[in-house]
Amino acid sequence: MIVTKFGGTSMASAEQFKKVKSIIDAKPERQVVVVSAPGKKTSDDVKITDLLYTLHTHLQYGVPYGDIWGMIEGRYLEIEEDLGLDCDIASELARIKSQLKKGMDQNYLISRGEYLAAKLMSSYLGFDFVDSKDIIRFTYSGTVDLERSEQNAKKAFSSHGNIVVPGFYGSYPNGDICLFSRGGSDITGSYLARFLDARIYENWTDVPGTLAADPRIVENPKTISQITYTELRELSYMGANVLHEDSISPLQEKNISINIRNTNEPSCPGTIIKRDCNDDSSIITGISGKKDFVSFDILKDHMSTEIGFTRRVLEIFEDYKINVEHIPTGIDSASVIVSGASVAGCMYDIVSKIESELGAKVRAKKEMALIAIVGRNMVGKSGICARIFASLSAVGINIKMIAQPPDETNIIVGVDNNNYQKAIKALYDDFKSVDWI
Ligand code: ASP
């Protein structure tokens, strides 16, 4: 059995619904379909989920919301009509509209995007609709109750067979709706694939697969054919975002592969994400990165021999609940690198605390970009760093920080924000020229 998930652009119009149906019809094994709310039909369109958030703000502040509601209603009615369906989506819409007047819980309202989309899709495919509030159960602390959710999923699948399930939400023990974070329909699909022991989890989107670099920086980057869970998590953590980061671990634990596919090009094989990849045709799997890190550079003579120094520095970051990304160290200096957003309100407090509590001099340097060069086939090979440094030096880029985790699947370099795009492009072009990527 295959669990499929279709993202917002695959749900954006009747034409896209038709593509989904032909994908489902092509393989009877595709028995579980998870859907997002309709996304943008054209680039200047607005996603239904964004419209619902705006609608909720209007409700909250007592601003008239008729126009926004009309846009939401119009999108669903249009799809129903264009497909010639008769699933009475108008009654569902009317019910929600009548509840709006009394005010509405935000999570409930937002979840209606996926709920209504799944109603339409189940009618179109002739699959049973099963509400995700009855499958994905959250604890009050917001984590998925694995045991209960698995029981619910198994029960739903065995009693209904082919099903369509709305993504993005589940429910708390009292029945209230709880949402995953944005883009969370990927996570719903991932849990369903895990609970139902799917042969594979197919995630259908609007790109050919996971790209080896950001297409806004590199022209026509390669689509990665195979990637391990760990490599993908490393690339996603550093900015590549074809799949929600949290949708990987539920499947990694069960060794269920994920296949990223393009609804608009169903004949392309896309990207396979799995534990053991046998394709060793490229040394570098992908490059990603993020801007706006802050480096707290700490200077104190002989700090490297002062027992407990690093722990005391890190405790200060912990007190402010700041996630530390890297800690490069020297003899008389060390730096702590964190995301700029995380210290936006407390950067100077942290500087003064380290200075007063540890007797050190601290400079907080903003605007550092981190670039991750990821590849399972880099492990144990010499000359990788040499190539990275040479290609950055050839375009005059100074490297401010270097980190490599012990498994050697990732090399991270820190450069000035200003050099971010230039560095990624230089690395990609250079790797390409020697067939490393
Ligand atoms: N509709 C939700 C969002 O826009 C969830 C999803 O599409 O995965 O974030």
Side-chain angles (χ1 to χ4, degrees):
M1 189 272 293
I2 297 176
V3 171
T4 58
K5 178 259 164 178
F6 290 88
T9 49
S10 308
M11 301 293 295
S13 64
E15 203 189 317
Q16 294 303 88
F17 268 59
K18 287 179 190 161
K19 293 181 189 168
V20 172
K21 183 162 165 55
S22 63
I23 290 166
I24 296 299
D25 289 349
K27 248 193 202 167
E29 222 189 332
R30 294 181 174 131
Q31 289 183 277
V32 175
V33 180
V34 175
V35 297
S36 281
K40 295 179 181 199
K41 267 192 294 187
T42 56
S43 55
D44 50 5
D45 214 3
V46 186
K47 291 173 74 164
I48 288 285
T49 307
D50 292 329
L51 287 173
L52 288 164
Y53 274 107
T54 313
L55 173 60
H56 187 260
T57 311
H58 281 229
L59 284 175
Q60 227 179 350
Y61 293 102
V63 178
Y65 54 81
D67 286 354
I68 295 180
W69 176 255
M71 284 161 80
I72 295 168
E73 195 175 49
R75 294 283 303 273
Y76 290 101
L77 291 171
E78 184 181 52
I79 296 173
E80 185 188 36
E81 191 186 325
D82 290 353
L83 293 174
L85 296 176
D86 188 13
C87 63
D88 202 11
I89 209 74
S91 306
E92 294 276 1
L93 287 160
R95 201 155 40 84
I96 299 167
K97 191 177 175 189
S98 70
Q99 292 165 351
L100 286 178
K101 292 187 199 115
K102 298 177 224 141
M104 195 179 266
D105 170 60
Q106 180 175 22
N107 288 352
Y108 179 80
L109 178 59
I110 304 303
S111 70
R112 296 306 87 187
E114 268 68 16
Y115 172 89
L116 293 165
K119 283 274 171 183
L120 284 177
M121 187 56 86
S122 77
S123 153
Y124 187 50
L125 296 178
F127 283 17
D128 282 357
F129 169 90
V130 179
D131 198 338
S132 28
K133 81 171 170 42
D134 300 322
I135 299 184
I136 306 287
R137 304 306 295 243
F138 285 88
T139 63
Y140 282 117
S141 55
T143 56
V144 173
D145 178 341
L146 292 176
E147 216 171 293
R148 267 191 86 184
S149 304
E150 178 163 347
Q151 277 169 10
N152 293 337
K154 290 201 158 116
K155 206 165 132 215
F157 184 60
S158 64
S159 54
H160 293 274
N162 297 353
I163 52 176
V164 176
V165 181
F168 193 32
Y169 70 94
S171 58
Y172 287 115
N174 68 354
D176 284 354
I177 297 292
C178 176
L179 302 177
F180 287 113
S181 56
R182 291 298 304 265
S185 299
D186 284 349
I187 315 175
T188 312
S190 161
Y191 276 114
L192 284 178
R194 174 196 169 109
F195 298 148
L196 299 173
D197 276 319
R199 181 171 71 74
I200 194 162
Y201 171 39
E202 289 181 348
N203 192 292
W204 291 83
T205 171
D206 58 356
V207 291
T210 306
L211 300 175
D214 185 338
R216 289 165 301 185
I217 301 175
V218 170
E219 206 181 310
N220 223 354
K222 177 188 137 178
T223 301
I224 300 167
S225 57
Q226 285 187 20
I227 183 168
T228 64
Y229 302 114
T230 313
E231 286 176 304
L232 186 72
R233 286 196 15 245
E234 275 162 357
L235 286 175
S236 318
Y237 184 67
M238 287 297 290
N241 55 5
V242 68
L243 188 71
H244 196 298
E245 229 185 300
D246 297 345
S247 56
I248 303 169
S249 353
L251 297 174
Q252 183 168 8
E253 285 159 20
K254 286 259 188 145
N255 198 16
I256 296 172
S257 305
I258 307 168
N259 188 190
I260 311 280
R261 300 285 291 265
N262 186 353
T263 304
N264 303 316
E265 266 181 287
S267 58
C268 291
T271 301
I272 293 274
I273 304 151
K274 54 183 181 173
R275 188 192 288 163
D276 306 307
C277 295
N278 49 19
D279 169 15
D280 56 5
S281 56
S282 38
I283 294 177
I284 310 292
T285 305
I287 307 171
S288 66
K290 276 201 254 183
K291 293 208 280 196
D292 295 325
F293 287 88
V294 172
S295 173
F296 290 82
D297 296 348
I298 305 166
L299 310 164
K300 186 179 179 190
D301 285 349
H302 309 295
M303 70 156 70
S304 63
T305 50
E306 196 177 317
I307 309 282
F309 187 88
T310 315
R311 177 186 51 76
R312 287 161 68 206
V313 170
L314 292 182
E315 265 173 9
I316 294 175
F317 285 90
E318 191 180 350
D319 289 346
Y320 284 89
K321 300 200 167 23
I322 306 297
N323 182 39
V324 170
E325 304 279 342
H326 298 285
I327 326 167
T329 53
I331 300 282
D332 296 330
S333 68
S335 59
V336 176
I337 297 169
V338 303
S339 91
S342 69
V343 288
C346 57
M347 192 173 84
Y348 297 111
D349 294 347
I350 292 177
V351 169
S352 92
K353 242 185 156 182
I354 301 175
E355 289 195 331
S356 62
E357 290 187 14
L358 288 125
K361 192 97 211 82
V362 182
R363 279 180 314 211
K365 285 207 234 120
K366 295 200 233 174
E367 306 203 342
M368 181 193 272
L370 297 182
I371 296 170
I373 298 112
V374 173
R376 62 186 178 278
N377 295 321
M378 301 194 304
V379 179
K381 287 208 175 64
S382 63
I384 312 278
C385 280
R387 183 120 220 145
I388 293 172
F389 297 162
S391 64
L392 293 178
S393 133
V395 289
I397 293 178
N398 173 43
I399 298 174
K400 305 173 86 173
M401 198 276 304
I402 309 151
Q404 178 179 272
D407 69 359
E408 296 183 37
T409 57
N410 191 3
I411 294 168
I412 293 167
V413 290
V415 300
D416 259 337
N417 263 356
N418 290 341
N419 284 327
Y420 173 70
Q421 306 214 345
K422 191 173 163 193
I424 291 191
K425 203 171 151 16
L427 289 166
Y428 188 90
D429 290 346
D430 183 52
F431 293 150
K432 184 119 189 72
S433 73
V434 286
D435 270 344
W436 274 21
I437 201 159

